[in-house]
Every structure is written in structure tokens, then in C-alpha cells.
């Protein structure tokens, strides 16, 4: 069974999560292809798709959004899972008592749930290096704002690889069940 893991990533953290999902599915016996959404023209030769993006300003990146819209008919015809990489820090509950993961769900989870008939979705904690080169206009502008908002974000790698692998094993189980 051919599974596509398509991702959008600005600084590489989401790409590495996609790769780990891919290697976990490969170890489970699936033919997994990990690609940036920009490099995928056609999803029709895949039996299932896992689509993920970094979250910025509560949204998936534009290209992941565009990918889901462009391929929505084909995606709706095969099992689809969505993920995001986003929240930063060690806290699982924020100061307002909200579950950080739930509160960080990008708007696209709800937007595409019915359109694509999504089987499952997941928010993974992300990674942030404040010394990274700004990518895109928004980050360049941010570096000139008072308070330097990029530097104010919690720095570190908060990705939980056991959680990534467990989620991918769950997908493998569902695919095997048919
Ligand atoms: C300017 C900026 C805005 C961000 N906004 C959000 C957000 O709204 N929600 C969220 O969960 N994470 C947010 N993050 C954290 C990123 O999603 C996180 O660092 C992610 O792992 C980056 O993935 P990438 O390296 O694949 O681009 C933001 C990070 C930056 C730098």
C-alpha cells in the first residue's frame, strides 16, 4: 500500500516530523513517500495521504492549504490524516487553563474535516530557534518590531518523537484494518 506524507515547513521542524511518520510507516511494511506539498502534482497513485504543516498565526502554511483545496476531490476518495506542528514550550495547559494542544489546532482541521472526510488529526509540539534566519516577509518584518517577537517565543525542540511514532503506528493499524 502506497502512503504519501506531504508536508509544508518553513524552518524544517515539520519536515522532520513528516520523515519520522514516513520511516515509521515504512517499518510497518508500507511504501511511504515523504514530499513537500510543492513537489506533489498528483495524489491519485497513493492509497492514503497524511498531510501536515507548521502552524503560523493559528493557520497551516499557505501551500498546505492550497494543496488540500487543489486536490480535495482525490483526497476525499482515499483515507486522509492531518497534522500540525506548532505549540512551543513544556506547558501542556496554558495560564487560562486551556489544553495547549487543543487550543493550537490550526483552523484547517475543522475546515477540511468534512470536505476531505478526514480519518484523524493531531497537533504535535514544535521546535523554535530564535537565531534562525527569518523566512518570508512576516518574519523579516517581525525582527524590526519593538520587543522582537521572534526572540520572545519559547526556544527549544519540544517535539515528542514517541508521540509521533505512536500516531503513525495508529495510522498503520487503521490502514491494515481497511
Ligand atoms: C512567527 C511565528 C508564529 C507562530 N505561530 C504559531 C501559532 O499560531 N500556533 C502554533 O501552534 N505555533 C506557532 N508557531 C510555532 C511554529 O509553528 C513551530 O516553531 C513549528 O514547529 C515550526 O515548524 P517548521 O520548522 O516546520 O516551520 C509560530 C512560530 C513563529 C516563528
Amino acid at each position: 500500500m502506497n502512503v504519501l506524507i506531504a508536508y509544508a515547513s518553513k524552518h524544517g521542524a515539520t519536515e522532520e516530523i513528516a520523515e519520522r511518520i514516513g520511516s515509521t510507516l515504512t517499518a510497518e511494511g508500507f511504501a511511504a513517500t515523504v514530499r513537500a506539498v510543492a513537489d506533489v502534482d498528483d495524489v491519485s497513485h497513493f492509497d492514503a495521504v497524511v498531510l501536515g504543516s507548521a502552524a503560523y498565526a493559528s493557520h497551516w502554511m499557505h501551500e498546505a492549504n492550497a494543496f488540500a483545496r487543489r486536490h480535495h476531490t482525490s483526497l476525499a476518495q482515499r483515507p486522509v490524516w492531518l497534522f500540525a506542528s506548532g505549540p512551543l514550550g513544556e506547558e501542556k495547559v496554558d495560564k487560562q487553563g486551556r489544553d495547549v494542544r487543543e487550543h493550537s489546532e490550526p483552523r484547517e482541521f475543522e475546515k477540511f474535516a468534512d470536505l476531505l472526510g478526514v480519518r484523524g488529526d493531531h497537533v504535535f509540539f514544535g521546535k523554535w530557534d530564535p537565531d534562525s534566519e527569518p523566512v518570508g516577509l512576516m518574519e523579516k518584518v517581525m525582527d524590526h518590531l519593538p520587543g522582537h517577537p521572534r526572540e520572545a517565543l519559547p526556544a527549544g525542540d519540544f517535539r515528542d518523537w514517541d508521540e509521533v511514532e505512536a500516531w503513525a503506528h495508529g495510522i498503520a493499524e487503521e490502514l491494515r484494518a481497511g
Side-chain angles (χ1 to χ4, degrees):
M1 193 181 268
N2 294 316
V3 185
L4 171 67
I5 300 96
Y7 65 87
S9 176
K10 212 186 262 194
H11 291 279
T14 314
E15 178 178 355
E16 288 171 357
I17 291 174
E19 278 164 2
R20 186 64 68 94
I21 293 169
S23 60
T24 307
L25 289 173
T26 301
E28 286 266 14
F30 294 91
T33 302
V34 182
R35 290 263 156 79
V37 286
D39 297 335
V40 182
D41 295 327
D42 186 7
V43 299
S44 61
H45 47 283
F46 295 101
D47 303 301
V49 177
V50 181
L51 175 58
S53 171
Y56 288 94
S58 303
H59 284 277
W60 263 2
M61 289 172 63
H62 167 75
E63 56 256 48
N65 222 307
F67 178 91
R69 277 189 268 111
R70 193 164 61 246
H71 296 289
H72 75 87
T73 308
S74 300
L75 290 170
Q77 290 164 359
R78 36 191 54 74
V80 171
W81 284 263
L82 308 182
F83 73 94
S85 103
L88 302 169
E90 304 285 354
E91 303 303 327
K92 305 289 184 256
V93 176
D94 70 13
K95 291 198 176 76
Q96 288 80 38
R98 297 173 301 202
D99 182 289
V100 171
R101 206 187 295 271
E102 271 176 33
H103 190 62
S104 304
E105 278 192 7
R107 306 275 186 268
E108 286 71 20
F109 280 13
E110 200 184 330
K111 177 173 158 186
F112 292 124
D114 291 338
L115 183 68
L116 307 183
V118 171
R119 293 273 195 109
D121 56 44
H122 200 89
V123 171
F124 296 107
F125 277 70
K127 175 187 171 189
W128 178 238
D129 173 5
D131 296 327
S132 62
E133 282 296 312
V135 177
L137 185 64
M138 181 181 79
E139 291 191 11
K140 285 182 184 135
V141 169
M142 283 176 97
D143 276 358
H144 294 93
L145 293 177
H148 298 276
R150 279 176 17 110
E151 285 170 30
L153 290 166
D157 187 351
F158 306 101
R159 294 169 298 176
D160 180 339
W161 296 111
D162 289 344
E163 184 188 352
V164 175
E165 288 178 13
W167 192 64
H169 284 304
I171 290 174
E173 225 169 90
E174 279 200 51
L175 286 172
R176 266 195 297 268

